[in-house]
Amino acid sequence: VLKLALIGFGFVAQGLAEILLHRSDELRANLGFSAQIVAVATRSRGSLYRPDGLVIDELFTAIHQGRLDQYPDVVGLERGWDTMRMIRESSADVVIEATPSNFQTGQPALDYCHAALDAGKHLVMANKGPLVVAYHDLVTHARQAGRQLRFEATVMAGTPTIHVGTSALAGCHISEARGILNGTTNYILTQMESGMSYAEALAQAQKLGYAEADPSADVDGWDAAAKALILAAALFNSQMTLADFSVKGISGITLDNVQSARTRGERWKLVARVTPAGGSVQPVCLPISDPLANVMRATNAVTYTTDHLGDVTLIGPGAGRSQTGFGLLADLLEIHRAG
Amino acid sequence: VLKLALIGFGFVAQGLAEILLHRSDELRANLGFSAQIVAVATRSRGSLYRPDGLVIDELFTAIHQGRLDQYPDVVGLERGWDTMRMIRESSADVVIEATPSNFQTGQPALDYCHAALDAGKHLVMANKGPLVVAYHDLVTHARQAGRQLRFEATVMAGTPTIHVGTSALAGCHISEARGILNGTTNYILTQMESGMSYAEALAQAQKLGYAEADPSADVDGWDAAAKALILAAALFNSQMTLADFSVKGISGITLDNVQSARTRGERWKLVARVTPAGGSVQPVCLPISDPLANVMRATNAVTYTTDHLGDVTLIGPGAGRSQTGFGLLADLLEIHRAG
């Protein structure tokens, strides 16, 4: 049984908990996999630790009431440990870092990550911040600690982008990855194609929960750039920082641009591109024959250009609760296989 | 060092040999993988065995002169062993079955496959025949023998179709796979869209080497059905035989059908579909918003419908020398990882 500590219990960690709640029998029977949540630490909604495991149903009941403190009293339950203590002193085998991203400092998550590896725990990331700031430090630390560092959920949610690029295509030389890595901007561009203005489409994306109240990380291209940076590091061992990326968002794209591309049989997409030499995120007018041109709404996609296979394209969800939760599960399954 | 016996030395086995010839340093440095061809057996072009390894350059020189007999005399070389003796008595760790497919009996390859497993060798298939006829027998035999049976190259060449469906998406429940699994028919339909008649497009596909002189396995849908059957067996442990498939080819599709679909914003594609309950191959008129509708020329694609992720689509080559050779390499890398 793999024992898990969840750092952060938002959307994504809840997506994983939900899968574990509903699919544990199937995962055990088909894959011999079994996991138990022993710790949950949040910044403002309390924290719980129980070496014999927390009941997922009760976690949901408590969090829906607003705070983990609502979790019932049971033998062996500890309340209120701070996150660092949870990482250092809990009996978890794996720390799942799912707190909000900070692309400038990676903090406080970056400290949590190093502490988890110091404590001899595997590390599974949903949070891009620490990887954007310190990918190579973390990889080196994990190697020295003899523990796994995995981050499938950070790029295209649970679509197996990292897995395909680094494992399924391991025998290929990948020279370039091009992708639509941000769902909000792709949704906006899709809506503009049916006549909506940029402002209307953005408002709708916000209403549907795709875009944040402050949509700048999405529409200015930085969310896509962060994902592209992680992908480049994983594929090419690239040392790029976000500052090395040429980044341009979609706010300059007019309804007129979109409509006139359409009459030419083309489509504007926010394309992230990385090679061993560098990376960019910018709106590109693609011919409709490009697989990326046909990726609509909040769906994401990546095309790997390879030596032996030519282009291989993977299309799948780029966001969502169960979709991103599955990315965490996929990493846990890899840890299970290796262990 | 993984020692390989190649059964059949056509297009696909040569594709693998070429990759091993040019990429062995890279594969060793990056993945710790190293392989050596110790045996090559063909039905009409001779056979060679050398426990210390055959020189790939010399194999190509010999086969380009028409027969493996042209291979130079070297210490330890054995010539003219028949295929069964090669499988049973050579020191190979892995037998690579790359002879032509027979969908009725699977023979003679099926006997080779069982002999390889009996001899304690891993089995890597490029040949669909034995899997179409006896998938479950072979899986059972491999399990009993404690050896691996792998077949990435049989579906969409080296595009990691099997790997994604069975490994990357292992934690998902896949309810359906829909795909364009035959390059020849997709090429023909693509050409018809630009005004070519079915007969002209078929002739061009033959000229380009996509279609055989007898194109019936392609155009009547049986090649796609064989691949779909293998995929269904791998994904669902399905017990279907080819006779259980509802199969219809593209020969009834007229230029008029193609053009009028186009005016409606739709495209005819030969779609293979499998679920745990059954399978079919038939021409389907897809809306242009379907990722499969935008797969053109000899490219192939598959869409997996899953619980946690919704639809995940993989697009890549469906044929080709290095493309299929890479499928064999990918299986060898998995054997290397497990070993």
Side-chain angles (χ1 to χ4, degrees):
Chain A
V1 180
L2 214 52
K3 296 185 175 195
L4 315 180
L6 307 182
I7 309 306
F9 195 54
F11 197 66
V12 172
Q14 289 181 32
L16 172 66
E18 210 152 55
I19 294 174
L20 294 176
L21 176 62
H22 296 299
R23 295 301 167 81
S24 60
D25 292 349
E26 222 174 307
L27 291 168
R28 191 180 301 111
N30 297 340
L31 303 169
F33 173 83
S34 119
Q36 193 177 48
I37 298 172
V38 298
V40 181
T42 73
R43 215 195 308 213
S44 58
R45 294 188 292 171
S47 66
L48 300 168
Y49 171 48
R50 187 166 179 261
D52 290 336
L54 295 159
V55 176
I56 296 174
D57 257 337
E58 301 282 7
L59 285 174
F60 280 118
T61 305
I63 206 80
H64 291 152
Q65 292 171 353
R67 285 186 58 82
L68 293 173
D69 291 346
Q70 310 291 327
Y71 193 93
D73 279 317
V74 284
V75 175
L77 184 72
E78 303 277 354
R79 300 177 188 270
W81 285 20
D82 69 31
T83 299
M84 273 298 187
R85 183 174 179 198
M86 202 67 98
I87 290 168
R88 290 183 178 132
E89 298 181 27
S90 82
S91 60
D93 306 304
V94 184
V95 166
I96 296 180
E97 221 301 331
T99 65
S101 289
N102 175 321
F103 296 161
Q104 275 70 53
T105 66
Q107 295 296 8
L110 182 54
D111 286 345
Y112 300 158
C113 291
H114 283 298
L117 294 169
D118 278 334
K121 296 168 189 336
H122 300 295
L123 184 56
V124 171
M125 314 282 301
N127 176 354
K128 295 180 281 295
L131 296 167
V132 165
V133 172
Y135 180 92
H136 295 280
D137 289 350
L138 287 168
V139 166
T140 303
H141 192 172
R143 189 181 307 122
Q144 287 165 349
R147 286 298 174 270
Q148 290 205 44
L149 166 64
R150 307 198 71 94
F151 44 87
E152 186 63 80
T154 61
V155 183
M156 286 174 63
T159 306
T161 315
I162 305 289
H163 184 107
V164 168
T166 62
S167 175
L169 300 179
C172 280
H173 182 78
I174 297 177
S175 54
E176 179 186 282
R178 285 164 71 244
I180 295 172
L181 301 182
N182 178 269
T184 304
T185 47
N186 204 53
Y187 180 83
I188 292 172
L189 292 172
T190 301
Q191 294 307 93
M192 287 172 76
E193 203 170 320
S194 49
M196 221 177 255
S197 73
Y198 172 81
E200 286 174 304
L202 172 58
Q204 194 176 79
Q206 285 171 319
K207 208 167 131 191
L208 288 167
Y210 294 143
E212 305 290 319
D214 174 2
S216 56
D218 288 328
V219 300
D220 293 342
W222 292 104
D223 174 75
K227 292 167 179 166
L229 183 154
I230 293 169
L231 199 51
L235 295 174
F236 308 128
N237 202 28
S238 146
Q239 305 277 340
M240 277 185 285
T241 68
L242 272 188
D244 300 322
F245 269 74
S246 155
V247 178
K248 193 176 162 193
I250 63 161
S251 54
I253 303 288
T254 65
L255 194 50
D256 203 47
N257 295 146
V258 170
Q259 305 269 344
S260 75
R262 198 183 166 188
T263 62
R264 293 193 308 272
E266 296 180 338
R267 269 201 189 111
W268 283 97
K269 292 291 179 189
L270 185 64
V271 175
R273 178 175 177 271
V274 288
T275 70
S280 65
V281 173
Q282 57 187 0
V284 178
C285 199
L286 298 174
I288 213 76
S289 58
D290 189 313
L292 295 185
N294 298 290
V295 174
M296 305 304 274
R297 300 179 59 92
T299 302
N300 280 188
V302 66
T303 297
Y304 294 120
T305 300
T306 75
D307 49 357
H308 303 313
L309 295 175
D311 282 0
V312 173
T313 299
L314 185 64
I315 304 172
R321 180 185 170 102
S322 76
Q323 290 84 345
T324 313
F326 173 75
L328 296 173
L329 176 67
D331 283 345
L332 294 175
L333 290 172
E334 290 291 328
I335 289 170
H336 167 70
R337 272 178 211 146
Chain B
V1 180
L2 214 53
K3 296 185 176 196
L4 314 180
L6 306 183
I7 310 304
F9 196 55
F11 196 66
V12 172
Q14 289 180 33
L16 171 65
E18 210 152 55
I19 294 174
L20 295 177
L21 175 63
H22 296 299
R23 296 301 166 82
S24 59
D25 292 348
E26 221 173 308
L27 291 168
R28 191 180 301 112
N30 297 341
L31 303 167
F33 173 84
S34 118
Q36 192 176 49
I37 298 172
V38 298
V40 181
T42 74
R43 217 199 303 216
S44 59
R45 294 188 292 171
S47 67
L48 299 169
Y49 172 48
R50 186 164 180 263
D52 290 336
L54 295 159
V55 176
I56 295 174
D57 257 338
E58 300 282 8
L59 284 175
F60 279 118
T61 305
I63 206 79
H64 291 151
Q65 291 172 354
R67 286 185 58 82
L68 293 173
D69 292 345
Q70 310 291 327
Y71 193 92
D73 280 316
V74 282
V75 175
L77 184 72
E78 303 277 353
R79 299 176 189 269
W81 285 21
D82 68 32
T83 300
M84 273 297 187
R85 183 174 179 197
M86 202 67 97
I87 290 168
R88 290 183 179 133
E89 298 181 26
S90 82
S91 60
D93 306 303
V94 184
V95 167
I96 295 179
E97 221 301 334
T99 65
S101 289
N102 175 322
F103 295 161
Q104 276 71 51
T105 66
Q107 296 294 8
L110 183 54
D111 286 345
Y112 300 157
C113 290
H114 283 298
L117 294 169
D118 278 334
K121 294 168 191 333
H122 300 295
L123 183 56
V124 170
M125 315 282 300
N127 176 354
K128 295 179 282 295
L131 296 168
V132 165
V133 172
Y135 179 92
H136 295 281
D137 289 350
L138 287 168
V139 166
T140 303
H141 192 172
R143 191 182 304 121
Q144 287 165 349
R147 286 298 174 270
Q148 290 205 45
L149 166 64
R150 306 198 71 95
F151 44 88
E152 186 64 80
T154 61
V155 182
M156 286 175 63
T159 306
T161 315
I162 305 290
H163 184 106
V164 168
T166 61
S167 175
L169 300 178
C172 280
H173 182 77
I174 297 178
S175 54
E176 179 186 282
R178 285 164 71 243
I180 295 172
L181 301 182
N182 179 268
T184 304
T185 47
N186 205 53
Y187 180 83
I188 292 171
L189 291 172
T190 301
Q191 293 307 92
M192 287 172 76
E193 202 169 318
S194 50
M196 223 177 254
S197 72
Y198 173 81
E200 286 174 304
L202 172 57
Q204 193 177 80
Q206 286 171 317
K207 208 167 131 191
L208 288 167
Y210 293 142
E212 304 291 318
D214 174 3
S216 57
D218 288 328
V219 300
D220 294 342
W222 292 104
D223 174 75
K227 292 166 179 167
L229 184 154
I230 293 169
L231 199 52
L235 294 174
F236 308 129
N237 202 27
S238 147
Q239 304 277 340
M240 276 186 287
T241 68
L242 271 189
D244 300 322
F245 268 73
S246 156
V247 178
K248 193 174 160 192
I250 63 161
S251 54
I253 304 287
T254 64
L255 194 51
D256 203 46
N257 296 144
V258 170
Q259 305 269 343
S260 76
R262 198 184 167 188
T263 62
R264 293 193 308 273
E266 295 180 339
R267 268 201 190 113
W268 284 97
K269 291 292 179 187
L270 185 65
V271 175
R273 178 175 175 270
V274 288
T275 71
S280 65
V281 174
Q282 56 186 3
V284 179
C285 199
L286 299 174
I288 212 77
S289 58
D290 189 315
L292 296 185
N294 298 290
V295 174
M296 304 305 274
R297 300 178 59 91
T299 302
N300 280 189
V302 67
T303 298
Y304 294 119
T305 299
T306 75
D307 50 357
H308 303 313
L309 295 176
D311 283 359
V312 173
T313 299
L314 185 64
I315 304 172
R321 180 185 170 103
S322 76
Q323 290 85 344
T324 312
F326 173 75
L328 297 173
L329 176 67
D331 283 345
L332 295 175
L333 291 173
E334 290 292 328
I335 290 170
H336 167 70
R337 271 178 211 147

